[in-house]
Amino acid sequence: MQDLNAIRKYIQNTEGEYAHFAVVAQEGFDYYSNHDKIKNTGAAAIDEVNGYLKLIGANPLHSADNRVSLNRHRLVVDQKIGYLFSEPPQIDVPEDDSGTGDDPLLKQVQDTMGTQWPKVIRQLGLDASNTGKGWLEYWSGKDDTGKNVFDYWYITPLTVRPTYDRSSAKKKLLYLIRAYAFLDAGGNPVTRYEFWDDQEVAYLIKPEATAECKAPTIDFETLPDGTYNIQPHDYGRIPFIEFQNNAHADNDLIMYKDIIDALDKLVSGFANDIDDIQEIIWVLKNYNGEREVTAYNQDGSPKLDNDGNPIKRPVDPVQMMKLKKFVSVDGDNGGGVEPIQAPIPFEARSKFREILNEEFWFSAMAVNPNPPTSGDQSGVYISYLYGQLEEKAGLMETEFRTAIDEFLKAILHYLGSDESTQFNQTWKRTKPQNDTEISAIIAQTPNTVMSDETKTKVHPLVDDWQAERAQIEKEQQEREKNRMQMMGVKRNDE
């Protein structure tokens, strides 16, 4: 950690890979925020046309430039997150051989996770869907009363640069850089780097470039006593956990971005046609008109050549037609004027949109909110509708299960408990279901096939199965007590 040159070189080596990831990640966030590519490019080369018209002179008429973003990406991402995390994964510990269980340890773990777990796991799912990976940071310390506390939160993936040991099939986090905007002790804006390994963290800063210093270097952050800000930690590992969207850490957008762009362009172009057709293009017969026009400066004055004569610009007939909304033509039968309106190919556009819409739901592996038929509401049909979404969600669940196990080990380390303790994760899906069918299946399943605890877990009317089991046991004890009292038998504990 004391080798500044080695750390500088390491940070520089991560720049290229991080720059590529940052572009993809930011694109995912942009599309989720309803800022699709159409917002920057438009449906056609409208910017070039209007730029040319501005160059040759002012005119109140202009080409329509609607940029309609349909926000399909957010729709399917929120659909997956709601499907997976409306009810966050629940944690429990298997019963041990003594039959007493590990309830005290489980309660400690759940108390340490606190009430923020549903919000954090949901945001990790959003970040992973948009960028390919979400990141959780945890830390421990003392609160205002001097009590030891464990805390955690999600952080934006745009600030994290991990390095893994690739020498084995099971990757291990070797180093991690976290980079973010920061104000130094003097209030000056800098980029701050946290360089982590499994034993300590070093803090470094890089000032912003200025006219005097165009290429500032990275230096250690210093404490008031002049020493380097390098802090040891006892987490036993780097306190950051990666939650991947899938095995390849790809975001969801890459599956259907081209279709979204085509839909945005189709709808925006249609809106442009509707706007433009309201402005009639007039054909003036037997009028040749002008072939070049005077060029103007930004302040509205004509541009002059070295001799003081106005500079003429040649006119592109197509662009001038877009500008003036009329065309001059020669005619042998005298002058005249008539309007021309371009037809809008509605049928072709509608068919193309229908094709894109159908392909979108398959490419996005999502549930079409307007399915071809909605008459059959049986469990089989609902499962069919959610089949592709379940497949996509299953890929995320597989990666998140491993990450949650790492998080639980960090909690056990903080609690001073055995880190090899195994936990069960219970994941529930949120979707329309035929509760009558499911309840009937559970009721008809014998105890030799499914335990009462499992039946409680999967029952559609049960939200917190652990609380429900506790209530069932309590009621069973009350009934047993009442039965024995009616028979005049005293229990051993009375």
Side-chain angles (χ1 to χ4, degrees):
M1 283 290 187
Q2 296 286 342
D3 192 342
L4 178 59
N5 289 329
I7 295 178
R8 284 174 176 170
K9 184 177 180 181
Y10 181 83
I11 293 175
Q12 292 172 355
N13 290 339
T14 64
E15 292 290 343
E17 182 178 356
Y18 170 75
H20 172 73
F21 167 77
V23 171
V24 175
Q26 188 59 56
E27 188 174 57
F29 284 134
D30 288 344
Y31 273 67
Y32 186 78
S33 301
N34 200 26
H35 195 96
D36 296 359
K37 181 181 177 182
I38 192 73
K39 298 291 188 180
N40 299 326
T41 62
I46 303 298
D47 286 340
E48 288 80 359
V49 172
N50 287 335
Y52 176 82
L53 302 180
K54 184 177 180 180
L55 178 66
I56 63 175
N59 192 289
L61 299 179
H62 64 280
S63 298
D65 186 14
N66 293 284
R67 303 188 179 191
V68 182
S69 178
L70 299 180
N71 209 11
R72 289 288 186 99
H73 176 57
R74 182 164 193 156
L75 173 65
V76 297
V77 168
D78 285 351
Q79 185 183 90
K80 182 179 76 170
I81 299 305
Y83 182 63
L84 272 173
F85 301 117
S86 289
E87 295 185 31
Q90 296 185 12
I91 310 299
D92 65 283
V93 180
E95 295 287 331
D96 59 20
D97 295 337
S98 66
T100 59
D102 291 308
D103 289 341
L105 176 60
L106 177 60
K107 187 176 187 310
Q108 280 186 297
V109 171
Q110 291 176 334
D111 289 344
T112 303
M113 294 176 71
T115 59
Q116 65 196 31
W117 173 242
K119 177 177 177 60
V120 171
I121 192 67
R122 184 181 180 88
Q123 186 61 45
L124 289 170
L126 283 173
D127 288 344
S129 299
N130 284 322
T131 72
K133 58 188 70 175
W135 281 95
L136 178 143
E137 180 184 9
Y138 59 88
W139 61 92
S140 60
K142 295 184 181 297
D143 60 13
D144 296 337
T145 63
K147 179 183 177 181
N148 289 327
V149 294
F150 179 93
D151 208 353
Y152 62 94
W153 202 246
Y154 55 85
I155 58 175
T156 172
L158 291 170
T159 64
V160 183
R161 309 179 193 179
T163 297
Y164 290 98
D165 180 6
R166 304 289 182 177
S167 61
S168 63
K170 187 176 181 180
K171 64 182 184 180
K172 177 185 177 183
L173 189 58
L174 286 180
Y175 305 104
L176 182 137
I177 297 172
R178 187 180 175 211
Y180 48 89
F182 190 70
L183 294 178
D184 64 13
N188 302 308
V190 298
T191 299
R192 194 187 198 202
Y193 298 91
E194 299 176 10
F195 186 83
W196 290 83
D197 64 16
D198 58 0
Q199 295 182 347
E200 55 187 359
V201 54
Y203 296 90
L204 305 97
I205 59 173
K206 179 182 180 181
E208 288 189 345
T210 62
E212 295 77 14
C213 183
K214 296 183 179 180
T217 58
I218 300 172
D219 290 307
F220 281 118
E221 185 179 70
T222 57
L223 298 173
D225 61 3
T227 59
Y228 293 151
N229 190 3
I230 302 176
Q231 306 295 329
H233 64 78
D234 59 355
Y235 302 122
R237 53 181 62 81
I238 298 175
F240 293 80
I241 301 175
E242 180 182 18
F243 287 72
Q244 291 190 174
N245 189 39
N246 46 53
H248 299 289
D250 293 327
N251 67 3
D252 287 349
L253 183 62
I254 63 172
M255 298 190 295
Y256 46 80
K257 178 181 179 297
D258 291 344
I259 298 179
I260 287 180
D261 291 341
L263 280 166
D264 288 346
K265 186 178 292 186
L266 177 69
V267 174
S268 299
F270 197 6
N272 290 343
D273 286 349
I274 292 175
D275 283 351
D276 282 340
I277 204 161
Q278 297 177 34
E279 298 173 352
I280 299 174
I281 298 175
W282 296 93
V283 175
L284 305 181
K285 294 182 177 180
N286 203 22
Y287 175 68
N288 291 330
E290 52 200 358
R291 289 289 179 258
E292 48 183 29
V293 296
T294 302
Y296 292 88
N297 296 309
Q298 293 291 342
D299 60 2
S301 61
K303 290 187 176 182
L304 305 177
D305 58 20
N306 295 332
D307 298 328
N309 299 316
I311 298 176
K312 298 290 185 177
R313 298 278 189 188
V315 177
D316 184 319
V318 176
Q319 291 178 331
M320 182 55 68
M321 181 182 66
K322 295 287 290 183
L323 170 64
K324 293 188 174 182
K325 304 301 179 185
F326 72 81
V327 190
S328 59
V329 296
D330 290 325
D332 297 329
N333 300 320
V337 60
E338 64 183 30
I340 293 180
Q341 292 180 315
I344 299 178
F346 177 76
E347 294 295 335
R349 277 196 169 106
S350 297
K351 186 61 178 178
F352 186 42
R353 188 176 189 276
E354 181 181 325
I355 294 172
L356 290 175
N357 188 64
E358 182 178 353
E359 291 300 324
F360 172 78
W361 299 110
F362 284 103
S363 299
M365 301 179 70
V367 180
N368 186 347
N370 295 309
T373 176
S374 58
D376 184 4
Q377 297 298 324
S378 68
V380 175
Y381 180 67
I382 293 173
S383 296
Y384 166 75
L385 289 180
Y386 279 75
Q388 290 209 109
L389 176 58
E390 173 58 35
E391 183 179 345
K392 181 172 64 173
L395 296 176
M396 172 178 276
E397 179 185 333
T398 299
E399 302 303 320
F400 271 46
R401 279 183 173 271
T402 303
I404 291 174
D405 282 339
E406 288 297 317
F407 180 50
L408 294 172
K409 288 180 181 179
I411 293 178
L412 291 173
H413 179 83
Y414 164 75
L415 295 174
S417 302
D418 183 6
E419 293 185 28
S420 64
T421 301
Q422 297 296 311
F423 290 87
N424 290 333
Q425 298 181 30
T426 303
W427 291 64
K428 295 188 71 173
R429 305 294 197 253
T430 301
K431 66 176 180 180
Q433 58 185 3
N434 192 318
D435 292 345
T436 304
E437 279 187 5
I438 297 175
S439 299
I441 293 173
I442 293 174
Q444 296 170 10
T445 303
N447 293 338
T448 56
V449 176
M450 183 184 296
S451 68
D452 288 340
E453 182 175 297
T454 301
K455 290 180 180 180
T456 306
K457 283 183 180 180
V458 300
H459 200 285
L461 301 182
V462 175
D463 294 327
D464 188 340
W465 71 269
Q466 291 170 325
E468 191 65 30
R469 290 306 306 172
Q471 182 64 25
I472 290 173
E473 292 176 5
K474 179 181 177 181
E475 292 178 0
Q476 287 176 341
Q477 291 174 2
E478 288 292 331
R479 284 194 295 268
E480 179 66 17
K481 179 180 177 180
N482 294 335
R483 187 181 68 83
M484 295 182 71
Q485 286 177 348
M486 291 177 62
M487 297 174 61
V489 178
K490 290 186 177 182
R491 299 192 308 175
N492 294 333
D493 58 350
E494 293 183 338

